[in-house]
C-alpha cells in the first residue's frame, strides 16, 4: 500500500486511467477503437501527471526550510 500522498495519487490516477480507457474502447462502436485508446491514455496520463506533480511540489514546498 502506498504510504505517501504522491504515491496514492499516482496509484489512483493510474487505476482511473485504466478504467476510463477500457470503457471508452469498449463503447467505441464506429471502428475508431485505436484512436479512442490513444486519446484516453493521453488524457489520463496528462491528468495523473499534473495531479501527482502538483502534490509532489506542494509536499516539497512544505518540507523545505
Amino acid at each position: 500500500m502506498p504510504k505517501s500522498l504522491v504515491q496514492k495519487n499516482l496509484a489512483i490516477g493510474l487505476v482511473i486511467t485504466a478504467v476510463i480507457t477500457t470503457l471508452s474502447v469498449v463503447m467505441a462502436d464506429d471502428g475508431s477503437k485505436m484512436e479512442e485508446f490513444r486519446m484516453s491514455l493521453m488524457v489520463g496520463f496528462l491528468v495523473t501527471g499534473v495531479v501527482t506533480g502538483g502534490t509532489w511540489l506542494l509536499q516539497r514546498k512544505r518540507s523545505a526550510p
Side-chain angles (χ1 to χ4, degrees):
M1 189 75 166
K3 294 184 180 177
S4 78
L5 191 56
V6 173
Q7 289 175 334
K8 286 180 185 177
N9 283 348
L10 183 60
I12 290 169
L14 292 176
V15 168
I16 290 172
T17 299
V19 168
I20 289 174
T21 301
T22 302
L23 287 175
S24 65
V25 168
V26 167
M27 291 172 39
D29 56 353
D30 59 353
S32 64
K33 290 185 186 281
M34 196 56 173
E35 186 62 34
E36 287 290 331
F37 178 75
R38 285 187 193 135
M39 187 60 101
S40 295
L41 278 182
M42 283 192 301
V43 169
F45 286 150
L46 180 65
V47 171
T48 300
V50 167
V51 170
T52 304
T55 304
W56 178 77
L57 284 174
L58 284 175
Q59 281 188 342
R60 200 165 164 226
K61 260 187 177 178
R62 288 182 188 158
S63 65

